[in-house]
Amino acid sequence: MFREVAELKVAAGTEQLFEAGVQQAIPLFKRAKGCHGMRMERSVEEPGSYMLFVEWETIEDHMVHFRESEDFQEWRRLVGGYYSAPPRVFHTTSAVEGF
């Protein structure tokens, strides 16, 4: 299992519209091959800064099956216009399990 982590920065004043776009995109992730869940968190200190977390069975499920799909184009249509900087995206896997 892999986690996609995306740091998303949005333009000031567009936070509610951006969050509405992400809400609309939930079905895109829900039906994506190998996607086991997604959530987005918003920074308290920087209201225009978000972290998106998506659980993928394989990196290929994200980078090939989703990124090359029509659903990814729809994701970009729904939220891409709100970015104030290009997203920073990387993948993680569990290294230490706490409690």
Side-chain angles (χ1 to χ4, degrees):
M1 185 82 64
F2 297 89
R3 177 176 288 139
E4 168 195 359
V5 180
E7 181 181 22
L8 309 172
K9 304 279 188 177
V10 302
T14 67
E15 295 90 354
Q16 287 184 335
L17 293 169
F18 172 71
E19 290 177 22
V22 173
Q23 186 71 38
Q24 285 182 281
I26 291 171
L28 305 176
F29 291 95
K30 203 169 201 175
R31 68 177 170 239
K33 179 184 188 302
C35 186
H36 291 270
M38 63 85 72
R39 76 177 198 281
M40 187 176 71
E41 296 181 9
R42 182 178 185 179
S43 172
V44 174
E45 293 81 11
E46 297 177 43
S49 183
Y50 294 84
M51 295 297 283
L52 175 70
F53 302 95
V54 186
E55 299 285 338
W56 296 101
E57 187 69 32
T58 68
I59 291 176
E60 291 76 23
D61 286 335
H62 173 224
M63 297 302 294
V64 176
H65 301 288
F66 184 65
R67 294 283 305 251
E68 295 180 7
S69 73
E70 301 258 338
D71 282 346
F72 179 71
Q73 296 305 315
E74 179 65 6
W75 161 253
R76 292 182 81 184
R77 187 189 71 73
L78 288 168
V79 301
Y82 302 110
Y83 297 146
S84 62
R88 182 171 173 258
V89 180
F90 53 95
H91 297 95
T92 66
T93 189
S94 182
V96 176
E97 294 290 332
F99 56 92

